[in-house]
Amino acid sequence: MSIFDKKRLQTDRFGINVDALRRGFYADKYFSNAALMLNRLQAEGYRYRGRNPRGAVGADELLVGNIEVEAQIFNRRSPTALIAGVDHALAQLRYATGYFDGNDTWVETWQELEIDAVQDGVVTFYDGDPENVLTVLELRGRYRDFALLETSMLGVLSRASRIATNVYEVLEAARGKPILFFPARFDLPEVQAIDGYAYWLALHRYHLDTGIEVPPLVSTDAQASLWSGKGLGTVPHAMIACFLADSVETMIQFARHIPVESPRILLADFNNDTVAAARATLSAYWQHYVAAYKEGNRAEMKRWTLRGVRLDTSAKLRDKSLPESAEPGVSPQLVRIVREAINSAWESWDLPANLQALASEFCRGTQIVVSGGFNRDKIARFEREGVPVDSYGVGSSLLNNDKRTNSDFTMDIVRVKLAGDWLDMAKVGRRPCANPDLERVNLADFD
């Protein structure tokens, strides 16, 4: 459930391999060992016979195999993290809490868990002290029933929250300009759904915090699957190669065959002459656009509207329009030159006076999209310098997991149930914490 729509994600969309979770296939081996030990201790009726270093009253009556614990999960990204992946973790608890009996039959025990969790989309704060954390999930129940899930729950929370927070920081740098989500090619296809959901959460959180609504723009249907959206895109460099490096003809055929709902955006750098490609494509589209205008055919006018020009010049190349001393790649200077070339493209067309304003509007309405090596810092630079970019395509940097972006989660057992009472039992340096955003969870909601 997110704080934005109050809806649980549809569990079947996660693609969870339930049997693998139940059998510990995704669990760090020491959790498998823990579950095995506890199940065998329960089978033999073992009661605690240790030294009891903390002096717990009634320890000698404890059936360790059935010990009930209170576990807390928290994030350690400083100073803040945008939390995502909670529903996925809860779905794991719903379908993989329990044990296999002596006949290898699964016995589910999720009904016996007591769970409090935050909703996706909340923000946590961390000051570096693990004794002062905001928990995102707390669960109380028999440890052997969910020990195998720690690895996979922490994994999805860490990844989703890291990407959501990375996207949010990029939105801040871009000052609310659209961010095209392009990391699909840099990771396994299986992660696209949760990654795209994390991106969607970041957009909604940014809207909540700033009032600025940013449209979701993802490149694959899988990335949009958890929020019932669709991927968007135009043409790859490969398509231009199929047209023998003719960017204009590629875009003409795109307009002819692709539904008008797909924006017409020229990938302008194939021949390393973005100005020429942009102006030639505008000229070619204009011929069709003005014909539709004269007929009053708005659908065809939309078909032949060049929505944008995308600059994706390699960092090692200097565009043909720039002097030798200019910065290579997609630079502020290149964007400004292309913007001016687009704005003035109509001036070279032989137009009657009554069409000149229309032609100027047609050209000026073409946006500039930049991509290739963009991250938070580069976007911040472009915005600081007032570069006329309309939207940013961002890829692998949104997956960053370095010292600054690390969003690792930890699960600690902080209490155990002994003789009917909850007893503090955290390791030294940790303690039970809380979070006012926690809410009681009913796992039946995932049925």
Side-chain angles (χ1 to χ4, degrees):
M1 182 181 294
S2 80
I3 62 174
F4 311 111
D5 59 10
K6 304 297 182 182
K7 296 178 180 178
R8 291 283 177 209
L9 291 177
Q10 296 180 16
T11 305
D12 58 350
R13 294 188 180 182
F14 291 137
I16 295 174
N17 187 333
V18 173
D19 188 65
L21 281 176
R22 292 172 175 176
R23 296 185 183 278
F25 185 72
Y26 298 113
D28 290 316
K29 189 53 66 175
Y30 56 13
F31 294 125
S32 299
N33 292 340
L36 178 63
M37 286 176 60
L38 291 173
N39 280 315
R40 289 185 173 179
L41 290 171
Q42 184 274 333
E44 69 181 25
Y46 167 84
R47 293 183 185 274
Y48 182 77
R49 294 197 297 268
R51 293 179 297 165
N52 193 13
R54 298 195 183 179
V57 177
D60 56 350
E61 295 299 316
L62 175 64
L63 290 167
V64 176
N66 280 333
I67 190 168
E68 294 181 64
V69 304
E70 178 181 309
Q72 65 182 21
I73 295 176
F74 61 93
N75 175 264
R76 291 194 286 180
R77 180 162 177 165
S78 181
T80 63
L82 175 56
I83 302 303
V86 175
D87 271 7
H88 196 296
L90 293 173
Q92 293 181 41
L93 288 167
R94 164 61 183 86
Y95 290 101
T97 295
Y99 60 95
F100 286 98
D101 66 14
N103 297 317
D104 200 36
T105 299
W106 179 251
V107 180
E108 59 180 24
T109 59
W110 60 269
Q111 304 94 330
E112 299 172 22
L113 291 179
E114 182 179 282
I115 301 175
D116 296 289
V118 302
Q119 296 181 24
D120 284 334
V122 306
V123 173
T124 59
F125 303 87
Y126 181 59
D127 62 5
D129 183 357
E131 290 191 275
N132 183 32
V133 298
L134 289 174
T135 54
V136 302
L137 196 153
E138 296 179 358
L139 56 155
R140 288 159 290 278
R142 197 166 57 190
Y143 182 54
R144 67 183 176 92
D145 290 347
F146 63 86
L148 294 176
L149 301 180
E150 180 169 341
T151 306
S152 50
M153 288 194 298
L154 298 184
V156 71
L157 286 165
S158 295
R159 183 183 184 92
S161 298
R162 168 167 48 89
I163 292 174
T165 310
N166 288 350
V167 171
Y168 188 92
E169 291 182 353
V170 166
L171 287 166
E172 288 184 311
R175 300 179 183 180
K177 290 181 179 177
I179 300 297
L180 285 68
F181 191 66
F182 284 169
R185 68 183 60 187
F186 302 107
D187 215 326
L188 298 171
E190 291 84 357
V191 300
Q192 288 184 25
I194 195 66
D195 288 359
Y197 172 67
Y199 163 82
W200 178 87
L201 278 174
L203 299 186
H204 282 269
R205 182 74 211 198
Y206 187 78
H207 180 211
L208 177 68
D209 293 343
T210 67
I212 300 172
E213 189 166 0
V214 183
L217 302 169
V218 297
S219 64
T220 75
D221 288 343
Q223 289 171 335
S225 60
L226 293 181
W227 40 275
S228 301
K230 289 289 184 182
L232 295 172
T234 52
V235 295
H237 289 106
M239 197 71 249
I240 301 174
C242 291
F243 282 89
L244 310 180
D246 189 335
S247 301
V248 177
E249 184 63 17
T250 304
M251 291 305 297
I252 289 174
Q253 297 310 318
F254 181 91
R256 289 185 62 234
H257 293 285
I258 301 300
V260 296
E261 290 76 19
S262 294
R264 279 71 172 123
I265 299 178
L266 166 69
L267 187 52
D269 63 285
F270 193 89
N271 295 304
N272 201 38
D273 191 351
T274 55
V275 167
R279 291 174 73 99
T281 303
L282 278 165
S283 178
Y285 269 42
W286 167 255
Q287 306 305 318
H288 298 277
Y289 180 89
V290 73
Y293 171 78
K294 291 176 179 178
E295 295 173 357
N297 190 332
R298 292 190 175 275
E300 284 300 292
M301 289 171 65
K302 185 176 180 180
R303 179 179 298 280
W304 295 101
T305 295
L306 188 63
R307 174 78 169 272
V309 170
R310 178 178 157 206
L311 309 181
D312 193 50
T313 306
S314 169
K316 294 183 178 180
L317 290 177
R318 184 176 293 104
D319 190 87
K320 183 178 179 180
S321 63
L322 298 176
E324 286 295 320
S325 60
E327 178 184 347
V330 181
S331 66
Q333 186 177 2
L334 177 60
V335 175
R336 291 189 174 99
I337 287 175
V338 172
R339 181 72 267 169
E340 177 55 34
I342 290 172
N343 290 348
S344 62
W346 67 274
E347 296 174 5
S348 64
W349 305 341
D350 185 16
L351 298 174
N354 66 319
L355 290 178
Q356 290 179 6
L358 179 68
S360 176
E361 181 183 4
F362 173 80
C363 293
R364 289 180 178 276
T366 302
Q367 299 183 347
I368 292 182
V369 183
V370 295
S371 59
F374 277 83
N375 55 25
R376 186 185 70 161
D377 293 341
K378 188 171 183 179
I379 291 172
R381 175 201 169 190
F382 271 51
E383 290 300 306
R384 188 168 58 250
E385 296 180 11
V387 182
V389 170
D390 295 287
S391 57
Y392 296 92
V394 188
S396 59
S397 69
L398 295 176
L399 304 179
N400 281 356
N401 190 22
D402 53 27
K403 183 177 181 180
R404 187 186 65 79
T405 61
N406 183 283
S407 304
D408 288 356
F409 278 73
T410 297
M411 186 174 97
D412 287 332
I413 289 178
V414 292
R415 293 189 177 99
V416 299
K417 200 168 189 179
L418 191 60
D421 296 320
W422 286 102
L423 178 68
D424 286 359
M425 197 58 64
K427 75 173 186 176
V428 175
R430 305 289 170 84
R431 67 179 180 87
C433 294
N435 187 338
D437 290 324
L438 289 170
E439 301 174 2
R440 183 56 48 91
V441 172
N442 182 2
L443 290 183
D445 291 342
F446 291 90
D447 289 346

